[in-house]
Amino acid sequence: MFDVAVFGSLFLTLFVIMDPPGITPIFLALTSGRATKVQRRMAWQAVAVAFGVISVFGVLGQQILAYLHVSVPALMIAGGLLLLLIALDLLTGKTDEPQQTKDVNVALVPLGMPLLAGPGAIVSVILAVQNADGFGQQLSVWTAIIAMHLVLWVTMRYSLLIIRVIKDGGVVLVTRLAGMMLSAIAVQQIVNGVTQIIQGT
C-alpha cells in the first residue's frame, strides 16, 4: 500500500533542500538574455538532469560512492566549491558578458547538478530508498521524487513571467541577489562537509 507518511517526509525534505522558491532568482539570473523558448527548454532540461542524477544515486548510490572511495562530506565540499565559483561569477557580473554564457548550457551545470541534484538531495534519496521496506514504501519514495521534480519544473517554467515585469534592470538586481544567496549556500555546504569530516575523526 502507498505510504503517505513516507511520501510526505521525503517530499518535505527534498522541498527544503532543493528549495523551489530559492532556485527561482538563480534560474532567472543564469538564463537571462536568452529567448523565452530557450529558457523554457532549459527549465525542462535542468529538471530532467536533476531527476536522472537523483534516480541513478537512488538505485546505485552506495555502490557508486564506495567504488570511487568518495565520502559524503567530500561530495558536499566539492559541490560547495563548484557553487562558490558560479556565485562569484554572478556577483562580479561575468555572466552578463554574452561570450561567457551563450554557448554554455547552464541547465546541465550548475542548475541540474549541483544546484538541484546536490549532495543533500542525493544523500536524502539514498537513505530513503535504503530505509523503504516493501513495494508500497518504495512506491511512496519514488512518487515523492517525481512530485518534487514536477514542482521544480512548474516553478522555473512560470518564473519566466517575472522577467517580463522586472525588465533588464531588475534582472541585474536579481543576478546579484542570486550570487549572494548562492555564495551563502556554497559556504554552508563546505562548512557542513568539513564539520562531518572533523566529527568522523
Side-chain angles (χ1 to χ4, degrees):
M1 294 290 292
F2 187 84
D3 193 321
V4 177
V6 171
F7 170 87
S9 175
L10 181 58
F11 182 84
L12 288 175
T13 300
L14 290 178
F15 190 91
V16 171
I17 293 172
M18 302 177 94
D19 190 16
I23 205 69
T24 298
I26 299 171
F27 172 73
L28 294 177
L30 291 173
T31 61
S32 64
R34 293 175 171 82
T36 302
K37 183 179 179 181
V38 174
Q39 290 174 315
R40 289 173 180 168
R41 185 173 73 243
M42 293 177 83
W44 177 84
Q45 288 175 334
V47 172
V49 168
F51 180 74
V53 172
I54 290 289
S55 298
V56 169
F57 276 95
V59 176
L60 302 170
Q62 285 283 17
Q63 293 89 329
I64 292 173
L65 294 180
Y67 178 76
L68 296 175
H69 303 290
V70 174
S71 66
V72 172
L75 188 65
M76 295 176 72
I77 294 171
L81 290 173
L82 179 57
L83 290 181
L84 191 56
L85 291 175
I86 304 298
L88 291 175
D89 279 348
L90 292 175
L91 282 169
T92 56
K94 288 185 178 179
T95 53
D96 293 339
E97 301 169 19
Q99 65 270 23
Q100 294 275 349
T101 59
K102 297 302 181 184
D103 298 327
V104 178
N105 191 350
V106 296
L108 308 182
V109 178
L111 274 176
M113 183 179 180
L115 272 177
L116 298 181
I122 288 173
V123 172
S124 297
V125 167
I126 290 175
L127 294 176
V129 170
Q130 282 184 338
N131 295 331
D133 295 324
F135 175 77
Q137 290 193 359
Q138 287 287 347
L139 177 63
S140 304
V141 166
W142 288 101
T143 303
I145 293 170
I146 293 170
M148 185 65 247
H149 284 81
L150 286 174
V151 169
L152 285 166
W153 176 77
V154 169
T155 303
M156 289 191 292
R157 168 70 172 74
Y158 290 99
S159 68
L160 297 175
L161 299 174
I162 298 173
I163 291 181
R164 299 179 187 176
V165 177
I166 63 177
K167 307 298 182 183
D168 291 342
V171 169
V172 172
L173 180 62
V174 167
T175 300
R176 300 298 182 268
L177 175 64
M180 255 177 38
M181 291 169 52
L182 195 54
S183 61
I185 293 170
V187 170
Q188 186 62 56
Q189 197 162 288
I190 294 170
V191 169
N192 291 344
V194 172
T195 302
Q196 288 189 24
I197 291 176
I198 293 173
Q199 290 176 344
T201 56

